[in-house]
Amino acid sequence: MIIQLEKDIPSEQKKSIIQQIKDIQYKITEVHTQYADYLIAIGKNDFDIRRFGNLPGIKDIHIVSDTFKLVSRKWKVKPTTIDLGDGITIGEGQLAIMAGPCSIESEAQVNSIVTHLKENGVRIMRGGVFKPRSSPYTFRGMGIEGLEMFYKICQENGIKIITEVMQVSQIEPMYPYVDVFQVGARNTQNFNLLDELGKIDKPVMIKRGISGTIDELLQSAEYVFSGGNEKILLCERGIRTYETASRNTLDLNAVPLLKEKTHLPVIVDPSHGIGLRAYIEPMALAAVMAGADGIIYEAHEKPEEAASDGQQTLNFAESRALVKKLNRTFALKQEMKMEV
Amino acid sequence: MIIQLEKDIPSEQKKSIIQQIKDIQYKITEVHTQYADYLIAIGKNDFDIRRFGNLPGIKDIHIVSDTFKLVSRKWKVKPTTIDLGDGITIGEGQLAIMAGPCSIESEAQVNSIVTHLKENGVRIMRGGVFKPRSSPYTFRGMGIEGLEMFYKICQENGIKIITEVMQVSQIEPMYPYVDVFQVGARNTQNFNLLDELGKIDKPVMIKRGISGTIDELLQSAEYVFSGGNEKILLCERGIRTYETASRNTLDLNAVPLLKEKTHLPVIVDPSHGIGLRAYIEPMALAAVMAGADGIIYEAHEKPEEAASDGQQTLNFAESRALVKKLNRTFALKQEMKMEV
Amino acid sequence: MIIQLEKDIPSEQKKSIIQQIKDIQYKITEVHTQYADYLIAIGKNDFDIRRFGNLPGIKDIHIVSDTFKLVSRKWKVKPTTIDLGDGITIGEGQLAIMAGPCSIESEAQVNSIVTHLKENGVRIMRGGVFKPRSSPYTFRGMGIEGLEMFYKICQENGIKIITEVMQVSQIEPMYPYVDVFQVGARNTQNFNLLDELGKIDKPVMIKRGISGTIDELLQSAEYVFSGGNEKILLCERGIRTYETASRNTLDLNAVPLLKEKTHLPVIVDPSHGIGLRAYIEPMALAAVMAGADGIIYEAHEKPEEAASDGQQTLNFAESRALVKKLNRTFALKQEMKMEV
Amino acid sequence: MIIQLEKDIPSEQKKSIIQQIKDIQYKITEVHTQYADYLIAIGKNDFDIRRFGNLPGIKDIHIVSDTFKLVSRKWKVKPTTIDLGDGITIGEGQLAIMAGPCSIESEAQVNSIVTHLKENGVRIMRGGVFKPRSSPYTFRGMGIEGLEMFYKICQENGIKIITEVMQVSQIEPMYPYVDVFQVGARNTQNFNLLDELGKIDKPVMIKRGISGTIDELLQSAEYVFSGGNEKILLCERGIRTYETASRNTLDLNAVPLLKEKTHLPVIVDPSHGIGLRAYIEPMALAAVMAGADGIIYEAHEKPEEAASDGQQTLNFAESRALVKKLNRTFALKQEMKMEV
């Protein structure tokens, strides 16, 4: 059961509500986000929800039987929109496009990509400064200095930044320079990291685990939400299957499934999802038709010289064509949606 | 190495070619299809292809290192088109739409669906009369009498039939009534069945195995082709993964991958692919954007009363809306293709 | 509900039972095996089983809610033993060892292996004459003549034969020469083949599908049983997963799971299961400790010269060592079982 | 290329070696562990290893082409043994048995289990105080106070502790009370955590990821080793597959594969691996026959009252029987090993 409390609920009223929940033997978790206060009550006994519905101090109440609660669309039917400032929002009614290199490599590289993005109307740039790598002997990213440089150039050009955070101790130093914190596929169930990202007031994009289920992704989002932060994006980025013809199996089924289960925006990453340059465009367009709220892909002036992931990175001509087609495809999708 | 022989090659010339292949220790398979004669030569020694290139009697020659040969796009770059007669073709430049019930149940049912298809411009009807079922205690289809009835109604209405063949002994009795023989996911590697379907002159649609790789699907197609039948369609219908949120995981990655590897048309089955009615439309539209040549889906006047697969079957209103959107989506896809 | 009828039930009694089942709206399948007659009744209404329990003509009755019925251990608690004649039985209390080449290649090869088996007390030989191959251009086995030769040598030496049947039309010609018909992993859900194997009176070993679930394997066994043949063996042979370090992932979890769910003997095939010679011994011994009733593995005098599967085939020295260790491991397993 | 340096190499010699590596354009990582100093040199150019082999200051040198280096058996052929003190060692020649509850719950609970372990000769106890849980609303463990209590009881009774560490900031407070740090399946690729565990001098057991490959597990171990800590155990704990009959698919193939690829000890966790109490014993015995160096399982006085994982936890009678059978099975395994 989710109970949303009135904004300025008197403490006496709140105490009384909590007492009545305890009376039916339910366990309570108090959740305070940047927008509202909630009580999550979990238990097994049957009870009459009307008993609570009319209590003073309760703004809204609903029974949600999923393992995830506050991120469920059963609780909040209206899609969530994430505001990045400067008129840039993500969610319902528009297609978010995020592009950039796998790794931030140099000032020249960032400048070249920022120019490309501006020319094509892309306002969010991706780029890693902390890189999770299977082997300890490979390039692990430019770190916080790289991020500062990345930020400086983007800020001057009105571009927002999404970049991966790998551990709790990085959150604070990264905070001033980041518009969206990305949680990578290897950290989807790094619960301590999710807990801490719940305490900040910036958007968090959680990638689906390498073989994570859709329900696990939603439970991970629930960690951030119940930690106090409602600004969450979900990202499908390919799952691990027996098929070896592509790097991963981009699971577009996840898009309509997630759109029904949750009110959070759903982003698709075709670069990691299929992992081969030639197939990124068709999969990105397919993702839009499946209902995605945004696309994140890798682009680089010279993919063959990129420090990492070159084989799945678009060059600028491919990227330019993709942006146009994404917008046309999204326009048709919206049009067909209106008509029904 | 694939060698296509001249149509009326003198037997002396053919003998000479075969001898020269044997001289380099290559194993030869002779292939005679409805369209041409080929020699497939497989071996390990290096040799100079120019030695063969100029031999009299050879129309075309190419080295194909894939495990599949004649179905490879390296051999035949131009996409294959399948002609069903009466102006109905499948492949490049048009979107094939096939719809109908999981099982053929009665004359009334077939009539109702045929009317629906005609009203919406769909000219190919699916419907099973031999049903592969996990349990021996469930409905296994109306059999050959059902097929005759199905055929009679369709023929009167100018509708083509695609239906599943489960075993060799069914091919002959089914032959007069079938326009496309479908090989189900459980029979993708039923090599005896594929061998026999290579001997007929009607199109065969092979579904990807329940956990079949893309290369296995192409090798299964190679069985039919090398058996003598070039009229082959491939069908992505969802693979088995760890995810339980949907019945199967429709693998749209297979679409661009197959379109690059083979010249055969690629059809997508979102009904079996995701297995839940609400998600069939977005996945079907996504399939078109991914590059599919056709969509096959389940439709029924009253899905809730269908003998099988009701949960993944569209009703007529949903089916009507889907056909319109499929055509609009395909039109945009074609338009964007032209521009590049 | 499973009803086992009395051996010589008067037809009046049977009619009456059937009528009463129809009265509760249950669908009936009559099953006649080499050992007994059964009625399988499936429906949804609640009913009082005592109503049937006391009817004349009923020997035994039980409600089995699994999707498989007659193969369930809920129906038959005592493990099934399969008698191959000449004192060779498979099941409870002994370890069946079956070994031999992937493909039957020549008289010399069969003789060499038969001698090896006799020297080591192995009384069942495997060897394929019909080979399912992914590619149509590879060796497909010696066929029925190979089988006749195989049989002649084995019969003279008191060795039983297990070999794969790929299609319905092979059953009759193979019948005189085969002791156990093997259904391969690609045919686990070839329901027509299973139906026909239900009509014969020789044992059938069904391999688990390439990505078949345990329940699907049991339902496939139910096809054979309900077709009329109770002599069934099940075989775990590795499943398809994302892991590429081995050819397949031998799933030993299937052994205790199957032993609890069914009364049929469970055989393990480590050769296909892990697919690499060096690991066959540890996996075979592990299978015995997991509770397997038998092991089937590939052995050849010169694996490096085998027509197929050489990389997963033991040479005679390895095979000899394995047999000894299998017997010692099984002895300990039995000993520890007795003590509890 | 791995270069092990002489213990007291003069800095001039080291500089000279490094210079010569740089001369062939190889990238160098210096590794300093509790036992030795290494240079890991990675590059693409061909070179003559003899050029390095005779340089003063080099104790050993070897080319290892795997993605993992120092943990490879190609580098160190002899199996690694981990010393926990008080005569308790893990690795070659003995079977390590670790048992205990999923979660540490209370002093009474720990006392009861410690008594049980002592009675059965088990000297290592498992038990979580920080619990990774999919949902934020469930019990997350007793934390550091629970660990102190756990330690106090174990120390008085000569029992060693293995327990999970979830994040970097827990390492220091946990350090005094832990004998083996466990890295859970959700953290196998938490590279920051692995880096930090490389800096301590206590053993680390890394569980295979939920769908981690064997090579990824070895690369994660390489993180700890190259960070400076050679005391590493690997643990197979079940992978995620399509099969739903068991919680996970315990992959015993990993045991012989890992034993060939690495010198590190391999532990098997049948409790999480199959996830159902009835099957833990057969899978544990099978693991020993597959070649495992140790077994870790869940035991509790009253599994049905356990705070978590009760369904896969043995009661004391089952645990007692298992320990006996594990030891007998391991004795036979060793005996058969000696004979070959």
Side-chain angles (χ1 to χ4, degrees), chain C residues 60-294:
Chain C
D60 200 359
I61 183 167
H62 203 73
I63 294 177
V64 176
S65 59
D66 295 319
T67 49
F68 46 92
K69 307 285 177 192
L70 289 157
V71 304
S72 171
R73 197 158 188 177
K74 290 181 193 146
W75 164 249
K76 178 165 176 275
V77 177
K78 199 167 152 265
T80 288
T81 302
I82 308 287
D83 190 348
L84 302 190
D86 300 327
I88 303 173
T89 57
I90 299 175
E92 213 56 13
Q94 62 216 294
L95 184 72
I97 302 180
M98 318 179 192
C102 177
S103 302
I104 295 300
E105 295 165 16
S106 69
E107 216 170 304
Q109 178 223 32
V110 175
N111 272 318
S112 121
I113 296 171
V114 161
T115 305
H116 167 72
L117 297 183
K118 284 177 75 176
E119 283 171 7
N120 291 283
V122 177
R123 300 192 64 189
I124 309 172
M125 179 164 163
R126 59 152 290 151
V129 295
F130 297 109
K131 302 300 303 172
R133 304 302 296 268
S134 306
S135 164
Y137 305 124
T138 42
F139 176 60
R140 299 216 221 161
M142 288 184 78
I144 205 76
E145 296 85 45
L147 181 58
E148 285 174 34
M149 174 270 288
F150 182 16
Y151 172 73
K152 199 166 160 288
I153 299 172
C154 284
Q155 212 212 11
E156 287 164 3
N157 288 280
I159 300 283
K160 300 294 174 186
I161 287 178
I162 177 168
T163 193
E164 178 162 356
V165 57
M166 283 178 68
Q167 65 172 326
V168 170
S169 65
Q170 292 164 350
I171 298 175
E172 203 182 305
M174 290 175 74
Y175 190 86
Y177 313 116
V178 170
D179 297 292
V180 183
F181 282 93
Q182 177 182 309
V183 175
R186 288 173 191 78
N187 277 317
T188 310
Q189 294 196 309
N190 184 332
F191 302 120
N192 300 110
L193 182 60
L194 298 173
D195 275 340
E196 294 302 314
L197 290 168
K199 296 178 187 163
I200 63 171
D201 187 30
K202 287 204 174 178
V204 176
M205 183 173 87
I206 310 174
K207 288 197 158 188
R208 185 179 182 183
I210 285 175
S211 65
T213 65
I214 285 171
D215 273 21
E216 284 172 347
L217 177 58
L218 290 167
Q219 289 184 82
S220 291
E222 188 80 14
Y223 263 90
V224 177
F225 199 125
S226 69
N229 186 358
E230 300 199 11
K231 298 176 179 172
I232 307 166
L233 304 163
L234 303 175
C235 181
E236 160 60 33
R237 50 75 71 196
I239 58 171
R240 187 166 272 179
T241 68
Y242 66 84
E243 177 62 72
T244 55
S246 52
R247 183 178 171 188
N248 291 303
T249 298
L250 184 69
D251 178 14
L252 292 184
N253 306 271
V255 178
L257 283 163
L258 282 170
K259 293 297 291 176
E260 182 168 297
K261 283 172 185 271
T262 182
H263 51 83
L264 300 172
V266 176
I267 310 298
V268 170
D269 176 353
S271 298
H272 290 84
I274 188 161
L276 295 163
R277 194 182 313 165
Y279 309 123
I280 290 169
E281 182 188 295
M283 294 312 286
L285 301 180
V288 172
M289 267 299 154
D293 296 300

Side-chain angles (χ1 to χ4, degrees), chain A residues 328-329 332, chain B residues 289 328-336:
Chain A
R328 290 180 67 178
T329 303
L332 175 62
Chain B
M289 268 298 154
R328 291 180 68 180
T329 303
F330 186 71
L332 175 62
K333 176 82 180 174
Q334 287 298 98
E335 216 180 290
M336 296 195 302

Side-chain angles (χ1 to χ4, degrees), chain C residues 2-18:
Chain C
I2 302 175
I3 293 170
Q4 183 176 351
L5 300 172
E6 293 287 359
K7 207 63 189 166
D8 302 302
I9 182 173
S11 70
E12 278 316 300
Q13 282 185 5
K14 188 169 155 189
K15 266 188 207 158
S16 160
I17 295 168
I18 288 175

Side-chain angles (χ1 to χ4, degrees), chain A residues 211, chain C residues 241-243 249-251 253, chain D residues 184-186 188 206-214 217 234-241 243 246-255 258 267-275 283 287 296 312:
Chain A
S211 66
Chain C
T241 68
Y242 66 84
E243 177 62 72
T249 298
L250 184 69
D251 178 14
N253 306 271
Chain D
R186 289 173 190 78
T188 310
I206 309 175
K207 288 198 158 186
R208 185 179 181 182
I210 284 174
S211 66
T213 65
I214 285 171
L217 177 58
L234 303 176
C235 181
E236 160 61 33
R237 50 75 72 196
I239 58 172
R240 187 167 271 181
T241 68
E243 177 62 72
S246 53
R247 182 177 172 190
N248 292 304
T249 298
L250 185 67
D251 178 14
L252 292 185
N253 306 271
V255 178
L258 282 170
I267 310 298
V268 170
D269 175 352
S271 298
H272 289 83
I274 189 161
M283 295 311 287
I296 185 166
Q312 67 188 32

Side-chain angles (χ1 to χ4, degrees), chain B residues 160-175:
Chain B
K160 301 292 173 186
I161 287 178
I162 178 168
T163 194
E164 178 162 356
V165 57
M166 282 178 69
Q167 64 171 325
V168 170
S169 65
Q170 292 165 350
I171 298 174
E172 205 183 304
M174 291 175 75
Y175 190 87

Side-chain angles (χ1 to χ4, degrees), chain C residues 208 212 242-243 328 335 339, chain D residues 208 212 242-243 328 335:
Chain C
R208 185 179 182 183
Y242 66 84
E243 177 62 72
R328 291 180 69 179
E335 215 180 291
E339 287 169 19
Chain D
R208 185 179 181 182
Y242 65 85
E243 177 62 72
R328 289 181 68 178
E335 216 180 289

